[in-house]
Every structure is written in structure tokens, then in C-alpha cells.
Amino acid sequence: MALRFRRGRSQRTICNDIPPIKNLWKYNLSRSWRLMYTVTSDGGTIAVVIEWLDHTGYDRRFGY
């Protein structure tokens, strides 16, 4: 099940080399890993993997 980030959390800058992400989703993988991705469209639907993290790295990234 994919979870959409709250608006405040998705506005954090992950990388300065890419344009702002309009929607950021999280998918819970096995063994407490997280996959962050965005979905965009330029005529077709494209999913772009932003980052995958373990539970500790995810908590650090988003300040939990």
C-alpha cells in the first residue's frame, strides 16, 4: 500500500539538482525498508524512484 506524504513533509528539499516534487509517495517494503517515489506524466504515466531507505535512514531523513 502506498502512502502519500503530508504536504509539509513533501516540501523538504532532498536534492537541489531536480525541480520541486509535486507529489511524493512512500511504499513500505519488507524488513522495514521504505521506497520513496513520485508519479508524473508527459503523455504517459511515469513513476520515478527517488530513494529507498531502511527504517533508521527514513526516520533521520524526515526528522522522526
Side-chain angles (χ1 to χ4, degrees), residues 11-30:
Q11 297 302 312
R12 292 186 67 174
T13 302
I14 294 175
C15 179
N16 293 329
D17 297 336
I18 58 174
I21 297 171
K22 304 233 190 275
N23 59 54
L24 182 63
W25 295 83
K26 174 186 77 164
Y27 186 77
N28 293 324
L29 299 170
S30 63

Side-chain angles (χ1 to χ4, degrees), residues 2 23 25 27 35-42 44-51:
N23 59 54
W25 295 83
Y27 186 77
L35 175 74
M36 293 186 297
Y37 67 98
T38 187
V39 178
T40 186
S41 177
D42 64 348
T45 302
I46 300 171
V48 179
V49 173
I50 305 297
E51 187 172 17

